[in-house]
Amino acid sequence: MPADPSPRGAGETPLRRAADTTRRAVPNPEARGSGTSAVEVRRSSRRRRTVSAYREGDRTVVLIPARMSEAEEQRWVTVMLDRLAAQESKRMLGDSELAERAERLAGQFLDGRARPATVRWVTNQNTRWGSCTPAEGSIRLSHRLQGMPEYVIDYVLLHELAHLLVPGHGPQFWRLLEAYPRTERARGYLEGVVAADRLPQLPAARTE
């Protein structure tokens, strides 16, 4: 199902292909370690304000209005990739899959040195994203991560795996995470979630 941030115009669907649509491939920031290797942006003068995206084989197609600037295009490609990834992560990663993912990440970024005894989701961590008990080799991830993009979950997993090797958050610890290419992006995503949670809630819209 396409990810779409706003209501579509009348008669507009992802399957509609206008004659004045232009297409071009753009770099995919999630290509590394992902089954999706390419992003294709399709601009259409008939699309006024909606942006949508969907998977098409090994590509991600992002549909945008033709009038968008290059900067707006880049921003929306990132937003839509995150939304698709979040939708897909809701359908995966039970405890066993989480443990398999941790093993893969440890092998890829920590030379296989971090070997957790258990990796599981928990529902009692509301003030932190993950925790680790090195003496037991146990890693626990907050259920609040479920539904977030895979690269964010991978970052938190890798963060806790690194704690099996280095308990604190000193320079040696952060050096371990330098190999993961999306560390800063994942940290920014989580900081944005925390900031949004602190915003005052708007009153519900009135309905007639």
Side-chain angles (χ1 to χ4, degrees):
M1 181 176 181
D4 194 334
S6 60
R8 297 184 183 281
E12 208 169 23
T13 72
L15 299 179
R16 183 172 179 172
R17 295 290 180 263
D20 56 352
T21 296
T22 59
R23 308 182 183 191
R24 75 184 187 94
V26 299
N28 181 1
E30 296 185 1
R32 181 171 178 174
S34 168
T36 304
S37 59
V39 174
E40 180 181 305
V41 173
R42 298 178 183 174
R43 290 174 172 262
S44 173
S45 60
R46 295 189 181 184
R47 182 174 287 267
R48 299 302 181 189
R49 62 188 182 90
T50 60
V51 178
S52 60
Y54 59 93
R55 304 295 193 196
E56 189 176 81
D58 64 349
R59 295 181 301 169
T60 299
V61 177
V62 181
L63 309 175
I64 65 173
R67 61 179 174 76
M68 273 193 178
S69 67
E70 292 296 321
E72 288 175 318
E73 174 188 306
Q74 293 175 15
R75 181 174 70 87
W76 275 110
V77 165
T78 299
V79 167
M80 300 312 288
L81 286 173
D82 279 351
R83 291 188 181 184
L84 282 174
Q87 289 176 0
E88 292 164 356
S89 69
K90 291 179 181 178
R91 301 191 293 270
M92 61 180 297
L93 294 185
D95 286 351
S96 60
E97 290 85 3
L98 202 61
E100 291 173 2
R101 202 172 191 89
E103 183 179 357
R104 177 180 61 78
L105 289 167
Q108 185 174 359
F109 297 106
L110 300 174
D111 299 322
R113 292 181 294 138
R115 298 178 179 274
T118 59
V119 183
R120 60 191 177 92
W121 296 106
V122 295
T123 58
N124 61 352
Q125 290 190 161
N126 294 317
T127 60
R128 51 185 174 176
W129 300 113
S131 61
C132 171
T133 305
E136 299 175 357
S138 61
I139 289 175
R140 298 163 297 279
L141 262 58
S142 171
H143 72 289
R144 295 179 300 146
L145 289 164
Q146 292 172 330
M148 292 189 187
E150 291 180 8
Y151 74 89
V152 177
I153 298 174
D154 283 354
Y155 164 73
V156 177
L157 261 179
L158 194 59
H159 185 109
E160 302 307 330
L161 286 166
H163 277 313
L164 293 178
L165 306 176
V166 180
H169 288 99
Q172 184 181 1
F173 172 84
W174 292 112
R175 279 196 294 271
L176 291 176
L177 294 182
E178 287 178 354
Y180 185 61
R182 301 180 199 168
T183 290
E184 291 306 315
R185 186 179 174 196
R187 284 169 61 86
Y189 185 101
L190 293 172
E191 288 169 2
V193 171
V194 171
D197 286 343
R198 291 173 179 167
L199 291 174
Q201 296 298 310
L202 295 175
R206 292 180 61 183
T207 58
E208 297 297 334

